[in-house]
Amino acid sequence: FCSYLVITLINTKKTGRFDIALLAANTFFNCVIVYGFINGDPNFVFEHNGLLAVGYCVLYGAGAAAAKKFLPGDKRLHALLFLTALTFAVLTVPMQFGQNFLTVGWMLEAVALISYGALKREPWFERTGWIIMAFAAAAMFLSGSWVYFGPSYQTPFFTDYTAVILGFAAVAAAYVAAERKNPVFGSTAKGKLVAVYRYAVIILTMFYFVYAASFIYVRITSRLSTHGRWLPLLQVFVYFICAVTIKHIPYIKDKIVNIISLCAVSFGLFAVVYNNMFSFRYGSSPEASLAALIAFNVFAVLFVYDGVKSLIGLQKKKREALSLVTSLFALFLVSIMLLVQFELGFNNMALSALGMCASLFWIIFGFVSRNRTMRLFGLGFSIFATSKLFLLDLWFLQNVWRIASYFLFGAVLIAISYVYQHYNKKFTA
């Protein structure tokens, strides 16, 4: 077998199709016979199959290098030898280590080939690495470990998922290093495709961190009898952390990453509202769960502030809407908590009182910060809260509470009128 390979390589003439077919057939029958002998020995079964595949890979890799050097014009021979070496490189992992290491082994091979090809400008290595990377990703989802992506959070999928994400990130880093060596790389079609790949890796990494946090949480709390409904809150919280952090990482931040961050925060707001729609007062630890929900909502308001700030920066508009949108979202979350967690009806006077207090805050803050938008919005919202009180809330109150509400809202309206007139005269003067 080796003799025939050497004779083919030292042939100075261009190899024909018949020679290529004989070389391919020689490889096939040689492998069948050799592996047949190996598997025929009970003490040698499956122990060194992977090492033999490595030997074949090295042999054909050296043959491909020799053919490229001594027979530069014979591209068919180059392709045959290189693809044969690639085949044995791919088969090394399942033959030696088994199916449990398909994803990890193939991803390591893919990262090595793509990184070498990108840094040394070897297209064959890059293309081969991408093919093996596709095999690794497919193995993760098709080998059966994908069923663990769920409440069980088993270790096999976590290991494969981690290997795939680390591989994606390593390849992205290799292309960043290659771009530094070639400044015009980013303007080429390949550079633009790599940029799209880098943004996709950022998004996939965000979801990986959510899964990793969930995996760790489930492993820790599975031994505890009570842990409340904290897992959804933790998932959304980690998601927000990732969405805000990516735009501050020096090597990846740009305008597109800022847009991705903003879209991620916007999408996360729906998850925040969704989590607040469920009552945390019932279950194994209602007090702790309710406290976790309150802390979660406080962080959500801060994330909204950061998202609105980024949006204002992208559109280069005035910052008047920043405080207004943030405080309005906070009022919205407090209202939902009163309705869901404390089971108050929409016709409850507490909601109207909350609206009046928010209106007073907006008016005062609007004057102090010279925010005309917030000041006018607070004035309009006070009218809405007062209308809700007289048109809806009073019909469901007893006489004593009606009288108390008249005094309360009257005092708040007088305070709003006084504050408005006081600051208006002060700033006018």
Side-chain angles (χ1 to χ4, degrees):
F1 166 68
C2 293
S3 301
Y4 187 86
L5 179 61
V6 171
I7 292 173
T8 304
L9 292 177
I10 65 176
N11 184 13
T12 56
K13 297 182 179 179
K14 185 177 180 179
T15 53
R17 296 181 179 179
F18 183 71
D19 296 317
I20 296 293
L22 281 180
L23 185 58
N26 184 292
T27 302
F28 174 76
F29 285 109
N30 178 270
C31 293
V32 171
I33 293 172
V34 171
Y35 278 103
F37 276 117
I38 290 177
N39 293 329
D41 185 357
N43 299 323
F44 207 73
V45 176
F46 297 122
E47 292 183 1
H48 300 86
N49 284 355
L51 296 178
L52 186 60
V54 172
Y56 278 120
C57 177
V58 173
L59 179 65
Y60 275 94
K68 186 177 181 180
K69 181 177 180 180
F70 297 107
L71 299 173
D74 201 341
K75 296 183 179 180
R76 290 179 300 178
L77 181 60
H78 302 169
L80 174 65
L81 296 176
F82 185 81
L83 291 176
T84 305
L86 170 64
T87 301
F88 284 112
V90 173
L91 292 176
T92 298
V93 175
M95 284 184 172
Q96 186 65 38
F97 302 103
Q99 295 183 356
N100 294 332
F101 292 90
L102 282 179
T103 300
V104 177
W106 283 346
M107 186 56 68
L108 290 174
E109 293 180 357
V111 171
L113 290 172
I114 296 175
S115 300
Y116 180 82
L119 296 175
K120 298 297 182 180
R121 300 184 183 180
E122 294 285 349
W124 267 102
F125 285 90
E126 281 189 77
R127 296 168 188 169
T128 303
W130 282 109
I131 294 174
I132 299 179
M133 180 175 285
F135 287 161
M140 182 182 67
F141 289 100
L142 299 180
S143 65
S145 60
W146 62 272
V147 299
Y148 298 131
F149 191 86
S152 54
Y153 293 102
Q154 298 295 321
T155 302
F157 186 86
F158 177 76
T159 304
D160 292 347
Y161 196 8
T162 303
V164 169
I165 293 299
L166 289 178
F168 287 166
V171 169
Y175 277 113
V176 170
E179 187 175 358
R180 290 180 179 177
K181 293 184 177 181
N182 185 13
V184 299
F185 177 78
S187 59
T188 62
K190 181 180 178 181
K192 295 178 180 178
L193 187 62
V194 170
V196 174
Y197 166 79
R198 186 167 64 247
Y199 297 136
V201 171
I202 292 174
I203 297 174
L204 292 175
T205 304
M206 290 172 53
F207 287 102
Y208 166 77
F209 278 114
V210 173
Y211 176 80
S214 304
F215 176 84
I216 296 173
Y217 172 84
V218 170
R219 285 307 178 95
I220 293 176
T221 58
S222 60
R223 304 172 184 176
L224 304 178
S225 58
T226 59
H227 53 78
R229 295 184 63 254
W230 301 347
L231 179 58
L233 303 183
L234 175 65
Q235 291 173 334
V236 179
F237 177 76
V238 174
Y239 173 81
F240 270 124
I241 290 292
C242 295
V244 173
T245 303
I246 58 175
K247 64 181 181 181
H248 299 292
I249 300 177
Y251 295 104
I252 66 173
K253 65 178 182 179
D254 56 20
K255 186 175 180 181
I256 302 298
V257 173
N258 288 339
I259 295 176
I260 293 175
S261 174
L262 180 61
C263 293
V265 170
S266 301
F267 178 76
L269 296 182
F270 292 98
V272 172
V273 176
Y274 178 79
N275 277 281
N276 278 273
M277 291 298 179
F278 297 93
S279 177
F280 283 74
R281 298 182 61 193
Y282 305 101
S284 55
S285 53
E287 295 82 6
S289 298
L290 186 59
L293 179 63
I294 294 174
F296 169 77
N297 287 335
V298 171
F299 281 106
V301 172
L302 296 178
F303 291 136
V304 169
Y305 178 85
D306 183 83
V308 176
K309 185 178 180 180
S310 299
L311 179 61
I312 293 174
L314 288 174
Q315 297 185 353
K316 298 181 180 179
K317 292 184 177 180
K318 296 181 179 180
R319 303 170 64 91
E320 289 189 355
L322 178 60
S323 302
L324 176 60
V325 174
T326 305
S327 57
L328 187 60
F329 182 74
L331 176 64
F332 177 71
L333 291 182
V334 173
S335 301
I336 292 180
M337 290 191 64
L338 292 176
L339 291 172
V340 177
Q341 308 304 326
F342 297 94
E343 299 179 351
L344 300 182
F346 183 73
N347 58 353
N348 195 288
M349 187 186 68
L351 294 177
S352 300
L354 178 64
M356 292 297 293
C357 294
S359 300
L360 181 60
F361 167 79
W362 283 326
I363 292 173
I364 296 175
F365 190 84
F367 273 112
V368 173
S369 61
R370 303 294 181 92
N371 191 332
R372 183 173 181 271
T373 303
M374 177 176 283
R375 186 170 67 247
L376 294 178
F377 184 85
L379 187 61
F381 200 85
S382 65
I383 298 175
F384 168 77
T386 305
S387 301
K388 176 182 177 298
L389 173 70
F390 284 99
L391 298 178
L392 182 62
D393 300 346
L394 293 179
W395 294 95
F396 298 91
L397 294 177
Q398 299 178 357
N399 293 331
V400 176
W401 288 107
R402 287 184 182 181
I403 297 173
S405 64
Y406 282 134
F407 280 102
L408 176 63
F409 276 76
V412 175
L413 288 174
I414 292 174
I416 291 176
S417 177
Y418 171 77
V419 169
Y420 205 93
Q421 294 297 328
H422 173 75
Y423 280 104
N424 191 31
K425 290 181 180 179
K426 182 179 179 179
F427 289 129
T428 301

